[in-house]
Amino acid sequence: MKTVKGITIVLAILILSLFSWSCASAPKEKAAEKPAQVATQTAATDGFLAGVHAKKQVNCEACHGTGGNLVDDNEQPVNMNCVKCHGALSEVAKKATGHINPHKSHLGEINCTTCHHGHAPSQVYCLNCHAFEMKISAGTGTAQPTVAPKRPEQQAVDQADVVVIGAGAAGFTAAITAYDAGAKVIVLEKQPITGGNSMLAAGGMNAAETKYQKEKGIQDSVDLMIKDTMKGGNNLNDPELVSILAKNSAASVDWLTSLGADLSDVGRMGGASVNRTHRPKGGAAVGANIAETLKKNAADRKIDVRVNSKVVKILEDGKGTVIGVQVEGKHRGLYTINAKAVVLTAGGFSANPEKVAAYRPEFKGMTTSNQPGATGDGLDIGAAAGGELQDMKEIQIHPTVAAGSRILITEAVRGNGAIVVNQEGKRFMNELTTRDKASAAILNQTGKMAYMIFDEGVRQSLKQIDGYFHLELVKEGDTPETLAAEIKVPPQALKATMEAYNQAVDKKDDAEFKRPDMPRPLRTPKYFAIAIKPGVHYTMGGLKINTDSQVIAKDGKPIAGFYAAGEVTGGVHGTNRLGGNSISETITFGRIAGANAAKLAK
Ligand code: MEZ
C-alpha cells in the first residue's frame, strides 16, 4: 500500500486538545445511579476514550445518559454528545492541519463513533482502504470482553411494512420509493456508516435518451444501450433484465435529479458506443453526490435507518413467504423485525478474498477497489432463504486500480483521453475496450502492470482527477521525456507513443488499436502518469430476480415477500459489467423493488 509521505496526521493531538477543552457544554444531567456495566467497563478500559474522558471528569452519563441505558445501535446519544462538546465533523475538520484530513472525507458526515470508541481501541475507518500515517487517540490496547448488557427476557419485536437490508444506493432508493408509496420502512446496515460501494462509485451512471444527452446532441437509444450491455456481458446477461435497465435508465436519471443529484456531465466508458455515462458537472465523482442526495432524502423523510445492524436471517413462515428478519444489533443484540416485505440490497463480495478465491482461484491475493463491508453476507442469507444464485464465478477485475493500493482510478480518465502504456513505454490495447479485455491485456505486460498517461487537458476535464493528486498517486513531467524518466520507462519510446497517439487523434483513426473515441490529443503540459494494476471490482453473480425484482427460488418461482436489487443480484451483466451500469442498475431495480414491496405491504 502506498503511504502518503511527510504527513503524519497526529489525530491524537487534536483529540487530546479537544478533551482538555473544558466540556462546559457536556450534558449536566443529574448524576443518577451509574449504569453498573458502563462503570465497570470504564474502569477496566482506562486507556480507551472512556478512561480518557473519566480523567477529564467527564462522567459516564455525559455520553450514556441516565437510567442505565447503554447505547442504541446508531450510537445516537453518544454521537450527539461528542458533537455537543467537540463540534460537528465539519467543525473539527477546520482545526486539522495535515495534508490528509480524516474529518473531511468522501464519506461525508459520519458518526464520531465510526472511528472513536469508548471501551475498545479507536480505529481510523479510512485505514480499511488507505495507508495514511495516522494515529488516533486511545488507538491501542486490548478491548475487554464486552459485558453483555442486561436485556429483558423477551426481546421486543419491531414492526415494519418493508425492511431493506443494506444502505447503499439500491437500498436507499428502495427505501425512499417504498416510503413515498406509503410504507413504513426500516433500513438495516451492518457497517457503522451508510453508502456502501455506491458511495465510492466514480465514473458515472449509464442512461440512454436522457435530457442531458439531448442537450449535448448525443444520439443514443435504448436499443443501443441494450446492444452494448449484452455485447459487454458476452450475451450471458438476462435480456429481459437488460431491457428493463435500459428502458428505465432515463427515468432513473430524472428521479435522482428530482431528489437533488447532479448528473449533468456526460462521458464515455469502455464498451459504450456513445457518451452515456452521467456524472456531476465538471466530472466529479458520481458516488459521493448520489449517496449524499439519497441520505438527505431519507433523513428528510425520517426513514428509520439503523447502522451497526447486521441481518443474520431472513425469516419465512414455513410456507415459503418471507415475513421479516432477525437482526444482530451491535448494542441491542439479537432481535426480530416483522415485515410484509423484505428488500435485499446488500451488495457483492469483492472485499471477501476467501469467497473470491473460492469461485476464482486465479484471483487469489489480488487487491480490491471495494469498501470493507462488501463481503457477500447478503448473498448467504438470501440463498439460505431459498433464493437461487446464478453466475457466481463471474467476477470483474477492474483494469485500473492504483498500484499497491485499493484506490480505483476511474475508467472516466481513459474515457476523457488518457492512454495506457506498459513499462516499455508502448500502448498495447484499445483503452476503451471492455474491462475483461483491458484487465487481461494489462496482466500480460511486464510486471502485470501499466501506466495511465494523460495531460493537463484531460486533468481539467475531470474534477475527480484532483483526488489522485491529493492522494499523491500521480507522477508528473514538463515533457513526455521527463515524465518517462520519473516513471522509469524509456523516454524516446514514450515520446514516440504519445506522438503516434496524437496523430491518430488528428486523423480520427486509431489504426493500430481501434480505439473508438479519442476526445483530445495529449499535447498540453504538464504530463502525468499513474501506475495501475488490475483489482477485484465487482461480482456479476448473485440472486436470481425477475423483472419485478422478486427473488426467484430454486423451483423457478418468485419467493413471496422477497425482493432484491443491485450487486446482490445476478443476471443483469452477464460475464462482464460495463462501467456505469452499476449505479444505473441500483437506481432502476431499487425503484422497482421498493415500489413492489410497498404495493405488497398495502
Ligand atoms: O461502473 C463502474 O464500476 C465505474 C464507472 C467505475 C469506474 O471506473 O469509474
Side-chain angles (χ1 to χ4, degrees):
M1 280 246 208
K2 182 174 175 15
T3 297
V4 174
K5 293 192 191 95
I7 39 133
T8 302
I9 292 88
V10 188
L11 279 177
I13 295 172
L14 174 63
I15 301 293
L16 286 171
S17 65
L18 290 170
F19 287 139
S20 53
W21 179 30
S22 145
C23 193
S25 58
K28 294 210 173 53
E29 293 170 65
K30 194 168 165 291
E33 243 178 82
K34 224 174 231 182
Q37 282 137 354
V38 174
T40 316
Q41 283 194 339
T42 302
T45 57
D46 215 26
F48 304 137
L49 281 185
V52 176
H53 278 88
K55 284 188 193 127
K56 301 279 171 198
Q57 268 79 52
V58 180
N59 62 15
C60 305
E61 288 82 7
C63 289
H64 293 283
T66 56
N69 288 336
L70 290 174
V71 281
D72 68 315
D73 293 330
N74 280 333
E75 303 176 335
Q76 224 164 5
V78 182
N79 280 288
M80 275 164 55
N81 286 317
C82 297
V83 170
K84 233 181 207 169
C85 284
H86 304 293
L89 205 60
S90 48
E91 291 166 51
V92 178
K94 284 186 204 144
K95 297 177 187 128
T97 51
H99 171 65
I100 300 290
N101 185 342
H103 291 108
K104 188 177 171 213
S105 79
H106 59 110
L107 303 181
E109 282 279 328
I110 57 174
N111 277 345
C112 307
T113 52
T114 305
C115 302
H116 303 282
H117 306 305
H119 306 288
S122 292
Q123 279 163 346
V124 186
Y125 196 79
C126 312
L127 300 185
N128 282 307
C129 299
H130 297 279
F132 307 135
E133 284 176 23
M134 284 183 176
K135 291 198 186 113
I136 188 165
S137 178
T140 53
T142 312
Q144 302 296 312
T146 311
V147 183
K150 260 212 183 101
R151 299 177 194 287
E153 285 291 294
Q154 188 68 43
Q155 279 292 301
V157 174
D158 293 0
Q159 306 287 341
D161 292 327
V162 177
V163 162
V164 177
I165 307 170
F172 272 118
T173 299
I176 291 167
T177 307
Y179 176 93
D180 287 352
K184 176 181 189 295
V185 182
I186 298 178
V187 181
L188 301 162
E189 168 59 53
K190 70 174 181 178
Q191 293 298 106
I193 59 173
T194 57
N197 267 339
S198 313
M199 189 165 45
L200 308 184
M205 167 175 174
N206 287 348
E209 300 183 27
T210 67
K211 60 179 176 195
Y212 299 115
Q213 286 178 312
K214 283 176 196 148
E215 273 167 26
K216 290 170 177 46
I218 299 165
Q219 304 279 331
D220 195 7
S221 71
V222 165
D223 284 348
L224 192 55
M225 182 169 168
I226 293 173
K227 216 167 127 203
D228 287 345
T229 302
M230 293 297 298
K231 186 173 172 210
N234 296 305
N235 289 307
L236 202 92
N237 329 46
D238 177 333
E240 288 195 339
L241 296 180
V242 173
S243 174
I244 292 283
L245 177 83
K247 280 185 182 146
N248 290 278
S249 61
S252 288
V253 164
D254 291 343
W255 182 79
L256 268 179
T257 50
S258 78
L259 297 185
D262 174 7
L263 295 166
S264 55
D265 186 288
V266 189
R268 180 77 68 108
M269 287 282 163
S273 299
V274 296
N275 288 15
R276 70 164 68 96
T277 308
H278 295 67
R279 52 179 85 115
K281 189 163 173 267
V286 74
N289 185 281
I290 287 180
E292 273 314 301
T293 302
L294 293 172
K295 275 190 224 180
K296 182 179 178 308
N297 276 274
D300 290 349
R301 289 162 173 77
K302 299 198 172 29
I303 293 176
D304 183 349
V305 180
R306 304 179 186 179
V307 294
N308 297 313
S309 300
K310 182 177 159 82
V311 173
V312 290
K313 196 171 180 190
I314 294 168
L315 303 171
E316 55 104 20
D317 65 356
K319 295 183 211 136
T321 297
V322 164
I323 52 163
V325 293
Q326 199 168 38
V327 190
E328 175 79 53
K330 179 176 171 189
H331 301 284
R332 191 171 165 187
L334 263 191
Y335 69 102
T336 296
I337 305 177
N338 290 338
K340 294 174 190 143
V342 170
V343 183
L344 183 61
T345 55
F349 60 95
S350 291
N352 185 334
E354 290 80 28
K355 231 183 177 94
V356 168
Y359 286 110
R360 297 293 290 269
E362 71 269 34
F363 298 157
K364 192 169 178 207
M366 237 182 207
T367 189
T368 176
S369 60
N370 280 213
Q371 57 95 16
T375 51
D377 329 73
L379 289 158
D380 296 340
I381 55 169
E388 185 175 15
L389 295 173
Q390 70 173 97
D391 304 339
M392 292 300 286
K393 284 172 80 162
E394 306 304 341
I395 295 174
Q396 179 166 81
I397 304 303
H398 194 294
T400 61
V401 178
S405 87
R406 289 177 62 159
I407 299 154
L408 183 81
I409 306 301
T410 175
E411 197 169 315
V413 183
R414 280 174 285 145
N416 280 24
I419 58 170
V420 177
V421 304
N422 57 20
Q423 289 194 54
E424 290 73 44
K426 296 191 170 145
R427 281 179 77 207
F428 53 89
M429 65 176 191
N430 156 18
E431 287 84 359
L432 294 185
T433 188
T434 50
R435 289 176 180 174
D436 48 354
K437 296 192 177 77
S439 295
I442 293 169
L443 290 170
N444 258 335
Q445 305 306 308
T446 311
K448 298 184 191 303
M449 60 85 65
Y451 293 97
M452 283 172 87
I453 305 290
F454 54 99
D455 71 345
E456 187 61 28
V458 174
R459 180 187 181 172
Q460 292 299 331
S461 74
L462 196 72
K463 199 166 166 24
Q464 52 197 300
I465 292 178
D466 291 347
Y468 310 138
F469 282 87
H470 189 64
L471 294 171
E472 301 184 347
L473 297 170
V474 189
K475 300 277 186 224
E476 56 185 57
D478 290 327
T479 61
E481 294 94 313
T482 52
L483 176 65
E486 276 291 314
I487 57 174
K488 300 190 177 39
V489 308
Q492 289 313 315
L494 183 62
K495 183 171 182 256
T497 296
M498 290 175 70
E499 278 173 5
Y501 177 74
N502 288 336
Q503 279 166 17
V505 179
D506 294 343
K507 281 196 238 152
K508 294 192 176 40
D509 178 20
D510 180 22
E512 202 175 356
F513 298 105
K514 305 277 179 275
R515 177 176 169 144
D517 184 53
M518 296 175 285
R520 47 180 62 79
L522 301 174
R523 287 194 179 110
T524 312
K526 290 181 175 181
Y527 300 97
F528 306 106
I530 302 178
I532 43 103
K533 279 189 164 186
V536 181
H537 181 60
Y538 190 87
T539 47
M540 271 79 62
L543 290 160
K544 199 177 168 97
I545 55 165
N546 62 16
T547 52
D548 287 329
S549 270
Q550 288 177 292
V551 176
I552 304 299
K554 292 187 181 61
D555 63 3
K557 294 191 183 126
I559 301 175
F562 191 16
Y563 301 85
E567 194 175 350
V568 78
T569 67
V572 180
H573 309 292
T575 60
N576 177 67
R577 177 174 67 76
L578 292 188
N581 269 354
S582 174
I583 289 291
S584 197
E585 172 193 26
T586 59
I587 307 303
T588 289
F589 287 93
R591 291 175 71 207
I592 294 171
N596 287 331
K599 207 192 293 171
L600 183 81
K602 275 203 177 140

